[in-house]
Amino acid sequence: MRTSRLQLLAAAGVAVASLALTACQDGTGTRDEGASTSGPVASAPSDTSSQAPKESAPDNGGNDSSANGSSANGSSGDAAGTGDSGGKGSSAGKGGSSAGKGSAAGGSDDGSSSFNPCNGSNTSVTAEPVSRPVNHMLITVENTGSQNCDLTYYPVLRFDEMQWVPQPVEDSKPQAVVTLAPGESAYAGVLLSAADGSGSGGATGKKLTVGFQGRTPNSDGGPAAIPALPAKGVYYDSSLTVTYWQSSMDDALAY
């Protein structure tokens, strides 16, 4: 009985082993291995996804375009910056245009409108001989108008019917045009004759005409003035000279 049981169990084991062997040969028993092979199959999409960048070369092109877009934005930003700088440039241009007006004020158009010459119509003029220095006369011009006026260069003097024009003392030329506010005065000194008697063609003047110059030398500055002279007249000779207009009486008589 025991022997038959052992034979029965052995036969059952052989049957189980043969079934397992058969399952291995049919592949039905490889489901677990199939699960392990399904791993590589599942990794195929990852391979595909890893290849996606290769297929997405157009996408990289898109990235390039976006990069270009960003650079375009950058360039537009730069353009905006340029616009700002352009704005500054425009303000500078305004500054420049105002600077042009300033230069014009010193030039022809605006300058001519702001220039107001002193002359016989808006001033009071006197001519008086002085004791010191000897043989000198002082011409005083007072602005009697309501606006500033400008004294340019030097007075143009003429005694009676004199046919020549006294020359200016060049050393007396001021740094700037003398401008008189209403009520202010300016001066010019006149050397009438040489103290040592070296002058020639001496004469006594009874009438003095004081002419005014404009913006340019020897141009007409407007009506002349005829100041009163001493009753006995004023003696002069070929040494007759005159200073440029001065703001100070002392400066006018220093030459």
Side-chain angles (χ1 to χ4, degrees), residues 144-180:
T144 58
S146 59
Q147 298 178 348
N148 292 356
C149 67
D150 302 312
L151 283 169
T152 56
Y153 308 106
Y154 53 89
V156 179
L157 304 181
R158 184 184 183 189
F159 282 105
D160 300 319
E161 301 302 322
M162 189 171 62
Q163 299 300 312
W164 54 280
V165 177
Q167 294 302 301
V169 180
E170 291 298 334
D171 290 343
S172 67
K173 188 175 182 179
Q175 296 295 323
V177 173
V178 177
T179 299
L180 298 181

PDB file of all heavy atoms in Angstrom, residues 144-180:
ATOM      1  N   THR A 144      17.576 160.991 -22.272  1.00  0.00           N
ATOM      2  CA  THR A 144      16.340 161.651 -21.844  1.00  0.00           C
ATOM      3  C   THR A 144      15.097 160.897 -22.316  1.00  0.00           C
ATOM      4  O   THR A 144      13.979 161.371 -22.113  1.00  0.00           O
ATOM      5  CB  THR A 144      16.296 163.081 -22.394  1.00  0.00           C
ATOM      6  OG1 THR A 144      16.400 163.037 -23.833  1.00  0.00           O
ATOM      7  CG2 THR A 144      17.435 163.921 -21.833  1.00  0.00           C
ATOM      8  N   GLY A 145      15.300 159.722 -22.932  1.00  0.00           N
ATOM      9  CA  GLY A 145      14.174 158.939 -23.412  1.00  0.00           C
ATOM     10  C   GLY A 145      13.614 158.026 -22.341  1.00  0.00           C
ATOM     11  O   GLY A 145      14.034 158.067 -21.165  1.00  0.00           O
ATOM     12  N   SER A 146      12.683 157.178 -22.744  1.00  0.00           N
ATOM     13  CA  SER A 146      12.036 156.238 -21.818  1.00  0.00           C
ATOM     14  C   SER A 146      12.571 154.822 -21.967  1.00  0.00           C
ATOM     15  O   SER A 146      12.132 153.913 -21.258  1.00  0.00           O
ATOM     16  CB  SER A 146      10.519 156.229 -22.051  1.00  0.00           C
ATOM     17  OG  SER A 146      10.224 155.858 -23.394  1.00  0.00           O
ATOM     18  N   GLN A 147      13.516 154.613 -22.885  1.00  0.00           N
ATOM     19  CA  GLN A 147      14.099 153.297 -23.106  1.00  0.00           C
ATOM     20  C   GLN A 147      15.620 153.384 -23.086  1.00  0.00           C
ATOM     21  O   GLN A 147      16.185 154.472 -23.249  1.00  0.00           O
ATOM     22  CB  GLN A 147      13.649 152.725 -24.460  1.00  0.00           C
ATOM     23  CG  GLN A 147      12.152 152.514 -24.580  1.00  0.00           C
ATOM     24  CD  GLN A 147      11.768 151.982 -25.959  1.00  0.00           C
ATOM     25  OE1 GLN A 147      12.579 151.983 -26.882  1.00  0.00           O
ATOM     26  NE2 GLN A 147      10.532 151.517 -26.078  1.00  0.00           N
ATOM     27  N   ASN A 148      16.255 152.226 -22.883  1.00  0.00           N
ATOM     28  CA  ASN A 148      17.708 152.186 -22.983  1.00  0.00           C
ATOM     29  C   ASN A 148      18.153 152.558 -24.394  1.00  0.00           C
ATOM     30  O   ASN A 148      17.445 152.295 -25.369  1.00  0.00           O
ATOM     31  CB  ASN A 148      18.234 150.787 -22.660  1.00  0.00           C
ATOM     32  CG  ASN A 148      18.047 150.411 -21.210  1.00  0.00           C
ATOM     33  OD1 ASN A 148      17.577 151.214 -20.393  1.00  0.00           O
ATOM     34  ND2 ASN A 148      18.410 149.196 -20.865  1.00  0.00           N
ATOM     35  N   CYS A 149      19.311 153.173 -24.479  1.00  0.00           N
ATOM     36  CA  CYS A 149      19.878 153.472 -25.791  1.00  0.00           C
ATOM     37  C   CYS A 149      21.368 153.136 -25.776  1.00  0.00           C
ATOM     38  O   CYS A 149      21.992 153.076 -24.716  1.00  0.00           O
ATOM     39  CB  CYS A 149      19.636 154.926 -26.200  1.00  0.00           C
ATOM     40  SG  CYS A 149      20.512 156.165 -25.215  1.00  0.00           S
ATOM     41  N   ASP A 150      21.916 152.900 -26.951  1.00  0.00           N
ATOM     42  CA  ASP A 150      23.298 152.431 -27.093  1.00  0.00           C
ATOM     43  C   ASP A 150      24.163 153.483 -27.773  1.00  0.00           C
ATOM     44  O   ASP A 150      23.777 154.052 -28.808  1.00  0.00           O
ATOM     45  CB  ASP A 150      23.335 151.143 -27.915  1.00  0.00           C
ATOM     46  CG  ASP A 150      22.493 150.035 -27.290  1.00  0.00           C
ATOM     47  OD1 ASP A 150      22.641 149.813 -26.076  1.00  0.00           O
ATOM     48  OD2 ASP A 150      21.688 149.421 -28.012  1.00  0.00           O
ATOM     49  N   LEU A 151      25.332 153.720 -27.194  1.00  0.00           N
ATOM     50  CA  LEU A 151      26.333 154.613 -27.775  1.00  0.00           C
ATOM     51  C   LEU A 151      27.438 153.761 -28.386  1.00  0.00           C
ATOM     52  O   LEU A 151      28.170 153.078 -27.670  1.00  0.00           O
ATOM     53  CB  LEU A 151      26.909 155.553 -26.706  1.00  0.00           C
ATOM     54  CG  LEU A 151      26.029 156.737 -26.296  1.00  0.00           C
ATOM     55  CD1 LEU A 151      26.590 157.409 -25.051  1.00  0.00           C
ATOM     56  CD2 LEU A 151      25.915 157.750 -27.431  1.00  0.00           C
ATOM     57  N   THR A 152      27.561 153.780 -29.694  1.00  0.00           N
ATOM     58  CA  THR A 152      28.555 152.961 -30.381  1.00  0.00           C
ATOM     59  C   THR A 152      29.734 153.810 -30.849  1.00  0.00           C
ATOM     60  O   THR A 152      29.573 154.963 -31.255  1.00  0.00           O
ATOM     61  CB  THR A 152      27.919 152.264 -31.600  1.00  0.00           C
ATOM     62  OG1 THR A 152      27.332 153.259 -32.447  1.00  0.00           O
ATOM     63  CG2 THR A 152      26.826 151.288 -31.160  1.00  0.00           C
ATOM     64  N   TYR A 153      30.910 153.236 -30.748  1.00  0.00           N
ATOM     65  CA  TYR A 153      32.148 153.831 -31.254  1.00  0.00           C
ATOM     66  C   TYR A 153      32.445 155.176 -30.573  1.00  0.00           C
ATOM     67  O   TYR A 153      32.570 155.222 -29.359  1.00  0.00           O
ATOM     68  CB  TYR A 153      32.101 153.942 -32.778  1.00  0.00           C
ATOM     69  CG  TYR A 153      31.745 152.621 -33.430  1.00  0.00           C
ATOM     70  CD1 TYR A 153      30.473 152.413 -33.979  1.00  0.00           C
ATOM     71  CD2 TYR A 153      32.647 151.572 -33.450  1.00  0.00           C
ATOM     72  CE1 TYR A 153      30.134 151.196 -34.546  1.00  0.00           C
ATOM     73  CE2 TYR A 153      32.319 150.346 -34.024  1.00  0.00           C
ATOM     74  CZ  TYR A 153      31.056 150.178 -34.562  1.00  0.00           C
ATOM     75  OH  TYR A 153      30.723 148.965 -35.110  1.00  0.00           O
ATOM     76  N   TYR A 154      32.496 156.237 -31.315  1.00  0.00           N
ATOM     77  CA  TYR A 154      32.905 157.554 -30.789  1.00  0.00           C
ATOM     78  C   TYR A 154      32.072 158.643 -31.472  1.00  0.00           C
ATOM     79  O   TYR A 154      31.481 158.416 -32.550  1.00  0.00           O
ATOM     80  CB  TYR A 154      34.401 157.785 -31.055  1.00  0.00           C
ATOM     81  CG  TYR A 154      34.796 157.586 -32.499  1.00  0.00           C
ATOM     82  CD1 TYR A 154      34.740 158.655 -33.414  1.00  0.00           C
ATOM     83  CD2 TYR A 154      35.206 156.334 -32.966  1.00  0.00           C
ATOM     84  CE1 TYR A 154      35.080 158.466 -34.742  1.00  0.00           C
ATOM     85  CE2 TYR A 154      35.544 156.148 -34.287  1.00  0.00           C
ATOM     86  CZ  TYR A 154      35.485 157.204 -35.180  1.00  0.00           C
ATOM     87  OH  TYR A 154      35.810 157.023 -36.495  1.00  0.00           O
ATOM     88  N   PRO A 155      31.987 159.819 -30.877  1.00  0.00           N
ATOM     89  CA  PRO A 155      31.225 160.896 -31.515  1.00  0.00           C
ATOM     90  C   PRO A 155      31.969 161.434 -32.738  1.00  0.00           C
ATOM     91  O   PRO A 155      33.196 161.511 -32.752  1.00  0.00           O
ATOM     92  CB  PRO A 155      31.119 161.954 -30.408  1.00  0.00           C
ATOM     93  CG  PRO A 155      32.285 161.681 -29.528  1.00  0.00           C
ATOM     94  CD  PRO A 155      32.501 160.211 -29.546  1.00  0.00           C
ATOM     95  N   VAL A 156      31.218 161.779 -33.741  1.00  0.00           N
ATOM     96  CA  VAL A 156      31.778 162.383 -34.955  1.00  0.00           C
ATOM     97  C   VAL A 156      31.626 163.900 -34.814  1.00  0.00           C
ATOM     98  O   VAL A 156      30.508 164.421 -34.819  1.00  0.00           O
ATOM     99  CB  VAL A 156      31.057 161.863 -36.210  1.00  0.00           C
ATOM    100  CG1 VAL A 156      31.647 162.515 -37.467  1.00  0.00           C
ATOM    101  CG2 VAL A 156      31.158 160.340 -36.293  1.00  0.00           C
ATOM    102  N   LEU A 157      32.777 164.588 -34.661  1.00  0.00           N
ATOM    103  CA  LEU A 157      32.755 166.021 -34.359  1.00  0.00           C
ATOM    104  C   LEU A 157      33.008 166.860 -35.615  1.00  0.00           C
ATOM    105  O   LEU A 157      33.791 166.478 -36.495  1.00  0.00           O
ATOM    106  CB  LEU A 157      33.819 166.346 -33.306  1.00  0.00           C
ATOM    107  CG  LEU A 157      33.733 165.554 -31.982  1.00  0.00           C
ATOM    108  CD1 LEU A 157      34.840 166.012 -31.040  1.00  0.00           C
ATOM    109  CD2 LEU A 157      32.362 165.690 -31.327  1.00  0.00           C
ATOM    110  N   ARG A 158      32.353 167.986 -35.606  1.00  0.00           N
ATOM    111  CA  ARG A 158      32.578 168.940 -36.698  1.00  0.00           C
ATOM    112  C   ARG A 158      32.366 170.360 -36.182  1.00  0.00           C
ATOM    113  O   ARG A 158      31.277 170.705 -35.731  1.00  0.00           O
ATOM    114  CB  ARG A 158      31.621 168.672 -37.855  1.00  0.00           C
ATOM    115  CG  ARG A 158      31.877 169.572 -39.059  1.00  0.00           C
ATOM    116  CD  ARG A 158      30.858 169.336 -40.137  1.00  0.00           C
ATOM    117  NE  ARG A 158      31.138 170.154 -41.312  1.00  0.00           N
ATOM    118  CZ  ARG A 158      30.305 170.275 -42.330  1.00  0.00           C
ATOM    119  NH1 ARG A 158      29.134 169.629 -42.319  1.00  0.00           N
ATOM    120  NH2 ARG A 158      30.640 171.046 -43.358  1.00  0.00           N
ATOM    121  N   PHE A 159      33.435 171.139 -36.234  1.00  0.00           N
ATOM    122  CA  PHE A 159      33.327 172.558 -35.877  1.00  0.00           C
ATOM    123  C   PHE A 159      33.004 173.354 -37.139  1.00  0.00           C
ATOM    124  O   PHE A 159      33.692 173.236 -38.169  1.00  0.00           O
ATOM    125  CB  PHE A 159      34.650 173.069 -35.284  1.00  0.00           C
ATOM    126  CG  PHE A 159      34.871 172.659 -33.855  1.00  0.00           C
ATOM    127  CD1 PHE A 159      35.776 171.661 -33.537  1.00  0.00           C
ATOM    128  CD2 PHE A 159      34.182 173.285 -32.829  1.00  0.00           C
ATOM    129  CE1 PHE A 159      35.985 171.298 -32.221  1.00  0.00           C
ATOM    130  CE2 PHE A 159      34.393 172.931 -31.507  1.00  0.00           C
ATOM    131  CZ  PHE A 159      35.287 171.927 -31.197  1.00  0.00           C
ATOM    132  N   ASP A 160      31.971 174.153 -37.024  1.00  0.00           N
ATOM    133  CA  ASP A 160      31.574 175.038 -38.114  1.00  0.00           C
ATOM    134  C   ASP A 160      31.519 174.279 -39.441  1.00  0.00           C
ATOM    135  O   ASP A 160      30.818 173.290 -39.547  1.00  0.00           O
ATOM    136  CB  ASP A 160      32.521 176.249 -38.189  1.00  0.00           C
ATOM    137  CG  ASP A 160      32.511 177.060 -36.887  1.00  0.00           C
ATOM    138  OD1 ASP A 160      31.411 177.241 -36.314  1.00  0.00           O
ATOM    139  OD2 ASP A 160      33.595 177.452 -36.426  1.00  0.00           O
ATOM    140  N   GLU A 161      32.302 174.763 -40.439  1.00  0.00           N
ATOM    141  CA  GLU A 161      32.313 174.124 -41.756  1.00  0.00           C
ATOM    142  C   GLU A 161      33.588 173.303 -41.957  1.00  0.00           C
ATOM    143  O   GLU A 161      34.084 173.170 -43.085  1.00  0.00           O
ATOM    144  CB  GLU A 161      32.195 175.190 -42.849  1.00  0.00           C
ATOM    145  CG  GLU A 161      30.933 176.041 -42.766  1.00  0.00           C
ATOM    146  CD  GLU A 161      29.664 175.196 -42.843  1.00  0.00           C
ATOM    147  OE1 GLU A 161      29.663 174.204 -43.622  1.00  0.00           O
ATOM    148  OE2 GLU A 161      28.690 175.504 -42.130  1.00  0.00           O
ATOM    149  N   MET A 162      34.107 172.768 -40.918  1.00  0.00           N
ATOM    150  CA  MET A 162      35.339 171.994 -40.975  1.00  0.00           C
ATOM    151  C   MET A 162      35.233 170.861 -42.003  1.00  0.00           C
ATOM    152  O   MET A 162      34.205 170.165 -42.075  1.00  0.00           O
ATOM    153  CB  MET A 162      35.651 171.430 -39.583  1.00  0.00           C
ATOM    154  CG  MET A 162      37.016 170.790 -39.448  1.00  0.00           C
ATOM    155  SD  MET A 162      37.410 170.390 -37.714  1.00  0.00           S
ATOM    156  CE  MET A 162      36.131 169.226 -37.322  1.00  0.00           C
ATOM    157  N   GLN A 163      36.264 170.659 -42.811  1.00  0.00           N
ATOM    158  CA  GLN A 163      36.244 169.708 -43.910  1.00  0.00           C
ATOM    159  C   GLN A 163      36.933 168.382 -43.573  1.00  0.00           C
ATOM    160  O   GLN A 163      37.080 167.545 -44.463  1.00  0.00           O
ATOM    161  CB  GLN A 163      36.918 170.327 -45.138  1.00  0.00           C
ATOM    162  CG  GLN A 163      36.230 171.597 -45.648  1.00  0.00           C
ATOM    163  CD  GLN A 163      34.792 171.336 -46.060  1.00  0.00           C
ATOM    164  OE1 GLN A 163      34.491 170.376 -46.781  1.00  0.00           O
ATOM    165  NE2 GLN A 163      33.880 172.183 -45.589  1.00  0.00           N
ATOM    166  N   TRP A 164      37.334 168.205 -42.377  1.00  0.00           N
ATOM    167  CA  TRP A 164      37.967 166.949 -41.989  1.00  0.00           C
ATOM    168  C   TRP A 164      37.351 166.435 -40.689  1.00  0.00           C
ATOM    169  O   TRP A 164      36.719 167.197 -39.945  1.00  0.00           O
ATOM    170  CB  TRP A 164      39.485 167.122 -41.842  1.00  0.00           C
ATOM    171  CG  TRP A 164      39.895 168.231 -40.915  1.00  0.00           C
ATOM    172  CD1 TRP A 164      39.942 169.559 -41.192  1.00  0.00           C
ATOM    173  CD2 TRP A 164      40.319 168.084 -39.564  1.00  0.00           C
ATOM    174  NE1 TRP A 164      40.354 170.279 -40.109  1.00  0.00           N
ATOM    175  CE2 TRP A 164      40.608 169.389 -39.090  1.00  0.00           C
ATOM    176  CE3 TRP A 164      40.510 167.002 -38.704  1.00  0.00           C
ATOM    177  CZ2 TRP A 164      41.050 169.646 -37.789  1.00  0.00           C
ATOM    178  CZ3 TRP A 164      40.955 167.240 -37.430  1.00  0.00           C
ATOM    179  CH2 TRP A 164      41.218 168.550 -36.968  1.00  0.00           C
ATOM    180  N   VAL A 165      37.525 165.170 -40.437  1.00  0.00           N
ATOM    181  CA  VAL A 165      36.897 164.525 -39.278  1.00  0.00           C
ATOM    182  C   VAL A 165      37.975 164.164 -38.272  1.00  0.00           C
ATOM    183  O   VAL A 165      38.936 163.461 -38.612  1.00  0.00           O
ATOM    184  CB  VAL A 165      36.125 163.255 -39.702  1.00  0.00           C
ATOM    185  CG1 VAL A 165      35.528 162.549 -38.481  1.00  0.00           C
ATOM    186  CG2 VAL A 165      35.034 163.593 -40.711  1.00  0.00           C
ATOM    187  N   PRO A 166      37.857 164.619 -37.022  1.00  0.00           N
ATOM    188  CA  PRO A 166      38.838 164.255 -35.984  1.00  0.00           C
ATOM    189  C   PRO A 166      38.883 162.736 -35.792  1.00  0.00           C
ATOM    190  O   PRO A 166      37.864 162.056 -35.793  1.00  0.00           O
ATOM    191  CB  PRO A 166      38.319 164.957 -34.733  1.00  0.00           C
ATOM    192  CG  PRO A 166      37.466 166.064 -35.243  1.00  0.00           C
ATOM    193  CD  PRO A 166      36.845 165.543 -36.504  1.00  0.00           C
ATOM    194  N   GLN A 167      40.083 162.204 -35.597  1.00  0.00           N
ATOM    195  CA  GLN A 167      40.282 160.773 -35.433  1.00  0.00           C
ATOM    196  C   GLN A 167      40.119 160.369 -33.969  1.00  0.00           C
ATOM    197  O   GLN A 167      40.355 161.163 -33.055  1.00  0.00           O
ATOM    198  CB  GLN A 167      41.664 160.371 -35.939  1.00  0.00           C
ATOM    199  CG  GLN A 167      41.824 160.560 -37.435  1.00  0.00           C
ATOM    200  CD  GLN A 167      40.785 159.758 -38.216  1.00  0.00           C
ATOM    201  OE1 GLN A 167      40.709 158.540 -38.095  1.00  0.00           O
ATOM    202  NE2 GLN A 167      39.967 160.458 -39.006  1.00  0.00           N
ATOM    203  N   PRO A 168      39.710 159.098 -33.738  1.00  0.00           N
ATOM    204  CA  PRO A 168      39.533 158.627 -32.357  1.00  0.00           C
ATOM    205  C   PRO A 168      40.859 158.212 -31.736  1.00  0.00           C
ATOM    206  O   PRO A 168      41.824 157.894 -32.434  1.00  0.00           O
ATOM    207  CB  PRO A 168      38.609 157.426 -32.509  1.00  0.00           C
ATOM    208  CG  PRO A 168      38.962 156.871 -33.857  1.00  0.00           C
ATOM    209  CD  PRO A 168      39.280 158.064 -34.718  1.00  0.00           C
ATOM    210  N   VAL A 169      40.888 158.218 -30.405  1.00  0.00           N
ATOM    211  CA  VAL A 169      42.022 157.681 -29.652  1.00  0.00           C
ATOM    212  C   VAL A 169      41.773 156.181 -29.499  1.00  0.00           C
ATOM    213  O   VAL A 169      40.915 155.758 -28.712  1.00  0.00           O
ATOM    214  CB  VAL A 169      42.147 158.368 -28.272  1.00  0.00           C
ATOM    215  CG1 VAL A 169      43.331 157.794 -27.500  1.00  0.00           C
ATOM    216  CG2 VAL A 169      42.265 159.879 -28.430  1.00  0.00           C
ATOM    217  N   GLU A 170      42.517 155.379 -30.241  1.00  0.00           N
ATOM    218  CA  GLU A 170      42.248 153.938 -30.271  1.00  0.00           C
ATOM    219  C   GLU A 170      42.471 153.272 -28.919  1.00  0.00           C
ATOM    220  O   GLU A 170      41.809 152.280 -28.590  1.00  0.00           O
ATOM    221  CB  GLU A 170      43.114 153.264 -31.335  1.00  0.00           C
ATOM    222  CG  GLU A 170      42.727 153.621 -32.764  1.00  0.00           C
ATOM    223  CD  GLU A 170      41.307 153.186 -33.117  1.00  0.00           C
ATOM    224  OE1 GLU A 170      40.807 152.210 -32.498  1.00  0.00           O
ATOM    225  OE2 GLU A 170      40.710 153.804 -34.001  1.00  0.00           O
ATOM    226  N   ASP A 171      43.373 153.809 -28.135  1.00  0.00           N
ATOM    227  CA  ASP A 171      43.625 153.223 -26.811  1.00  0.00           C
ATOM    228  C   ASP A 171      42.424 153.359 -25.882  1.00  0.00           C
ATOM    229  O   ASP A 171      42.368 152.689 -24.846  1.00  0.00           O
ATOM    230  CB  ASP A 171      44.843 153.871 -26.170  1.00  0.00           C
ATOM    231  CG  ASP A 171      46.149 153.489 -26.857  1.00  0.00           C
ATOM    232  OD1 ASP A 171      46.139 152.490 -27.614  1.00  0.00           O
ATOM    233  OD2 ASP A 171      47.157 154.190 -26.652  1.00  0.00           O
ATOM    234  N   SER A 172      41.487 154.213 -26.226  1.00  0.00           N
ATOM    235  CA  SER A 172      40.331 154.441 -25.354  1.00  0.00           C
ATOM    236  C   SER A 172      39.143 153.540 -25.707  1.00  0.00           C
ATOM    237  O   SER A 172      38.077 153.670 -25.095  1.00  0.00           O
ATOM    238  CB  SER A 172      39.894 155.902 -25.454  1.00  0.00           C
ATOM    239  OG  SER A 172      39.375 156.190 -26.753  1.00  0.00           O
ATOM    240  N   LYS A 173      39.327 152.635 -26.657  1.00  0.00           N
ATOM    241  CA  LYS A 173      38.213 151.779 -27.081  1.00  0.00           C
ATOM    242  C   LYS A 173      37.752 150.884 -25.936  1.00  0.00           C
ATOM    243  O   LYS A 173      38.547 150.123 -25.392  1.00  0.00           O
ATOM    244  CB  LYS A 173      38.641 150.927 -28.279  1.00  0.00           C
ATOM    245  CG  LYS A 173      37.505 150.157 -28.915  1.00  0.00           C
ATOM    246  CD  LYS A 173      37.990 149.448 -30.168  1.00  0.00           C
ATOM    247  CE  LYS A 173      36.856 148.717 -30.859  1.00  0.00           C
ATOM    248  NZ  LYS A 173      37.326 148.054 -32.102  1.00  0.00           N
ATOM    249  N   PRO A 174      36.473 150.932 -25.555  1.00  0.00           N
ATOM    250  CA  PRO A 174      35.996 150.116 -24.421  1.00  0.00           C
ATOM    251  C   PRO A 174      35.798 148.658 -24.825  1.00  0.00           C
ATOM    252  O   PRO A 174      35.831 148.307 -26.006  1.00  0.00           O
ATOM    253  CB  PRO A 174      34.665 150.778 -24.056  1.00  0.00           C
ATOM    254  CG  PRO A 174      34.175 151.339 -25.359  1.00  0.00           C
ATOM    255  CD  PRO A 174      35.404 151.777 -26.116  1.00  0.00           C
ATOM    256  N   GLN A 175      35.551 147.822 -23.816  1.00  0.00           N
ATOM    257  CA  GLN A 175      35.351 146.394 -24.061  1.00  0.00           C
ATOM    258  C   GLN A 175      33.974 146.098 -24.650  1.00  0.00           C
ATOM    259  O   GLN A 175      33.788 145.093 -25.317  1.00  0.00           O
ATOM    260  CB  GLN A 175      35.521 145.605 -22.748  1.00  0.00           C
ATOM    261  CG  GLN A 175      36.923 145.675 -22.164  1.00  0.00           C
ATOM    262  CD  GLN A 175      37.957 145.009 -23.061  1.00  0.00           C
ATOM    263  OE1 GLN A 175      37.690 143.999 -23.689  1.00  0.00           O
ATOM    264  NE2 GLN A 175      39.141 145.591 -23.127  1.00  0.00           N
ATOM    265  N   ALA A 176      33.024 146.972 -24.390  1.00  0.00           N
ATOM    266  CA  ALA A 176      31.649 146.730 -24.853  1.00  0.00           C
ATOM    267  C   ALA A 176      30.978 148.057 -25.171  1.00  0.00           C
ATOM    268  O   ALA A 176      31.456 149.127 -24.786  1.00  0.00           O
ATOM    269  CB  ALA A 176      30.851 145.977 -23.785  1.00  0.00           C
ATOM    270  N   VAL A 177      29.882 147.945 -25.886  1.00  0.00           N
ATOM    271  CA  VAL A 177      29.091 149.133 -26.216  1.00  0.00           C
ATOM    272  C   VAL A 177      28.530 149.728 -24.935  1.00  0.00           C
ATOM    273  O   VAL A 177      28.091 149.014 -24.034  1.00  0.00           O
ATOM    274  CB  VAL A 177      27.949 148.755 -27.183  1.00  0.00           C
ATOM    275  CG1 VAL A 177      27.006 149.933 -27.396  1.00  0.00           C
ATOM    276  CG2 VAL A 177      28.513 148.281 -28.514  1.00  0.00           C
ATOM    277  N   VAL A 178      28.549 151.039 -24.852  1.00  0.00           N
ATOM    278  CA  VAL A 178      28.000 151.730 -23.683  1.00  0.00           C
ATOM    279  C   VAL A 178      26.490 151.851 -23.852  1.00  0.00           C
ATOM    280  O   VAL A 178      26.013 152.429 -24.831  1.00  0.00           O
ATOM    281  CB  VAL A 178      28.638 153.120 -23.517  1.00  0.00           C
ATOM    282  CG1 VAL A 178      27.994 153.856 -22.342  1.00  0.00           C
ATOM    283  CG2 VAL A 178      30.139 152.997 -23.314  1.00  0.00           C
ATOM    284  N   THR A 179      25.750 151.286 -22.905  1.00  0.00           N
ATOM    285  CA  THR A 179      24.284 151.343 -22.932  1.00  0.00           C
ATOM    286  C   THR A 179      23.806 152.220 -21.792  1.00  0.00           C
ATOM    287  O   THR A 179      24.219 152.037 -20.638  1.00  0.00           O
ATOM    288  CB  THR A 179      23.676 149.938 -22.807  1.00  0.00           C
ATOM    289  OG1 THR A 179      24.109 149.136 -23.907  1.00  0.00           O
ATOM    290  CG2 THR A 179      22.156 149.996 -22.811  1.00  0.00           C
ATOM    291  N   LEU A 180      22.929 153.158 -22.122  1.00  0.00           N
ATOM    292  CA  LEU A 180      22.422 154.102 -21.122  1.00  0.00           C
ATOM    293  C   LEU A 180      20.965 153.799 -20.819  1.00  0.00           C
ATOM    294  O   LEU A 180      20.125 153.738 -21.724  1.00  0.00           O
ATOM    295  CB  LEU A 180      22.541 155.540 -21.630  1.00  0.00           C
ATOM    296  CG  LEU A 180      23.952 156.066 -21.930  1.00  0.00           C
ATOM    297  CD1 LEU A 180      23.881 157.521 -22.414  1.00  0.00           C
ATOM    298  CD2 LEU A 180      24.838 155.950 -20.707  1.00  0.00           C
TER     299      LEU A 180
END
